[in-house]
Structure formats: structure tokens, C-alpha cells
Amino acid sequence: DAGVIQSPRHEVTEMGQEVTLRCKPISGHNSLFWYRQTMMRGLELLIYFNNNVPIDDSGMPEDRFSAKMPNASFSTLKIQPSEPRDSAVYFCASSSRVAGGPLLTDTQYFGPGTRLTVL
Amino acid sequence: AQTVTQSQPEMSVQEAETVTLSCTYDTSESDYYLFWYKQPPSRQMILVIRQEAYKQQNATENRFSVNFQKAAKSFSLKISDSQLGDAAMYFCAWCNFNKFYFGSGTKLNVKP
């Protein structure tokens, strides 16, 4: 079975450019999460969706960041304009809603991440 | 804000031995969940074990078990019969209904 697919795996861009990260969740999963990992701040939950609807985006650092989930099999995280401090590994994860308990507690399956470098 | 603390940046264990990774957290909530995630060099995060705070019984998954001390806000991970494939970063995490926090991680080295 294919796991969570993220593209690109590596992205190098220059400050000020728009960056779009892509994620394909596991088929049948109805929740999707975006995380950012940096040495300074560790792993942070940015935003998550359930049934394609954003549930909580309070972790999104700035208005430069936006995320969409137009359908159940695709999500994007966009940074516009990008800055050097956005350099990080961005992970996407998906889960299948289990009855009972908060959505965040469902077992999340992570993608391999996208390493973003903003020069 | 909730915090998750892993006080051991790096640990080493001999193959086939047992190692315990520490994690403490700070919360005023009574209902929450705790997790241990493994991140091997491939970078992909893998769930190792989870614990519901309302359950007194410690969770176990094969060679992995936890020691959950709710009053002490402690959630340690014990790896028995360590294997070379256990070498990775291990992250402790806390979540409630709408927030998810990770610790800073412990790098586990396994010596043959």
C-alpha cells in the first residue's frame, strides 16, 4: 500500500519566491495534518483538515502561509513570499477517523517530508 | 501552554539490552493522550506507542512499553532487547482535542 506521498522531497528557492508543497494522503483517510520541523522549534503542528475542511490553523506561523485541501486525495501548503527562516522539513500526515476520542488522537501516518531551503 | 520535555538529548544502548527514554510534560488538563514517535534517518515519523491518560494500565507494543505516571506527569519509554533498527530519534508527544505538542527528541544509538 502506498503511504503518504509528498512532493517535492527537496526544494531550494530564493527569498521572495512562492513555494508550494504537495501531499497525497493515504487512500481512505479523512484527516490530514501539516507539520514543520526545525532545529530551533522542533516539530510543530501547523494546520489540520477533516473531510477536506480546515479544523484548526492556529499553528500557521504567518499570513504568508496558506493550506488547501480541494479534495480527499490532495493538499497543498503554500508559502508566499518565502523567507530564509521558513527553511525546515515539512511533513504531511493522514489518519482515519476512529469513533471516540479527539481527532488528533487517531494514529497518524507521516509522509517522508519535504526539505525546504530558502536562500 | 503545554510543554513536553525530553531531558536526554542522546542515549546509547548495547544491542539486546534495555534502555529507558524519559519524558515529562506540563498540563493542567485531566484528559489527554501521550505518544512516542520514532524518526529514523529516513526522516519518516512512525508511531511507536500511545497511551490514553484515563487508562491506568501502561501501554505495551511488543518490545516497547511505557511507564505512565499521571500524578508525576511522566511518560517514559522502555525498549527491551534493543535492536540495531531501533537506532533513531524518539519524540514524546502530548495532545488533547485540538493541540499537539512534541518534545525536542532523544537520539538513540544502538551499539552492536
Side-chain angles (χ1 to χ4, degrees):
Chain A
D1 288 341
V4 175
I5 299 172
Q6 291 188 246
S7 64
R9 291 294 307 274
H10 303 273
E11 175 79 34
V12 180
T13 190
E14 292 188 346
M15 182 174 63
Q17 296 298 305
E18 177 180 295
V19 175
T20 299
L21 311 181
R22 296 173 177 78
C23 175
K24 177 178 170 57
I26 292 172
S27 178
H29 282 191
N30 54 7
S31 297
L32 184 139
F33 310 81
W34 282 102
Y35 292 87
R36 177 173 69 173
Q37 185 177 32
T38 62
M39 289 295 292
M40 290 294 293
R41 301 176 65 90
L43 271 157
E44 304 170 279
L45 176 61
L46 301 178
I47 184 172
Y48 60 97
F49 298 80
N50 182 241
N51 293 326
N52 313 335
V53 176
I55 304 300
D56 191 326
D57 65 354
S58 60
M60 296 285 262
E62 299 174 36
D63 291 344
R64 299 183 295 105
F65 287 70
S66 62
K68 295 182 179 180
M69 192 165 186
N71 57 61
S73 58
F74 184 66
S75 177
T76 60
L77 178 66
K78 185 177 294 186
I79 308 172
Q80 166 63 20
S82 58
E83 297 183 4
R85 59 195 170 113
D86 301 331
S87 297
V89 178
Y90 291 81
F91 288 100
C92 175
S94 70
S95 69
S96 179
R97 188 79 268 264
V98 174
L103 185 153
L104 281 174
T105 67
D106 296 334
T107 298
Q108 297 181 30
Y109 296 84
F110 282 72
T114 294
R115 181 177 294 279
L116 172 65
T117 302
V118 183
L119 303 174
Chain B
Q2 323 301 330
T3 57
V4 180
T5 302
Q6 293 179 248
S7 58
Q8 305 151 316
E10 188 166 359
M11 294 191 70
S12 294
V13 63
Q14 204 72 33
E15 195 176 6
E17 297 295 309
T18 295
V19 64
T20 299
L21 308 184
S22 301
C23 173
T24 59
Y25 56 93
D26 183 24
T27 183
S28 58
E29 301 184 24
S30 59
D31 192 14
Y32 50 88
Y33 296 72
L34 296 162
F35 306 83
W36 278 99
Y37 276 88
K38 171 184 177 181
Q39 186 177 40
S42 67
R43 223 168 53 194
Q44 193 158 356
M45 298 282 288
I46 303 166
L47 177 65
V48 175
I49 200 166
R50 56 179 279 163
Q51 173 85 41
E52 293 86 344
Y54 63 84
K55 290 186 177 179
Q56 292 187 338
Q57 187 173 7
N58 290 324
T60 62
E61 285 289 342
N62 301 314
R63 298 182 294 107
F64 299 87
S65 62
V66 299
N67 183 5
F68 174 47
Q69 301 289 327
K70 191 171 185 179
K73 299 180 183 177
S74 170
F75 183 61
S76 60
L77 174 69
K78 185 171 81 170
I79 306 174
S80 304
D81 185 25
S82 297
Q83 300 176 1
L84 295 177
D86 295 334
M89 284 289 289
Y90 285 82
F91 292 92
C92 178
W94 176 102
C95 87
N96 65 356
F97 73 98
N98 70 341
K99 295 297 179 188
F100 209 117
Y101 297 103
F102 285 86
S104 55
T106 296
K107 182 180 180 183
L108 179 66
N109 303 305
V110 181
K111 300 177 181 179

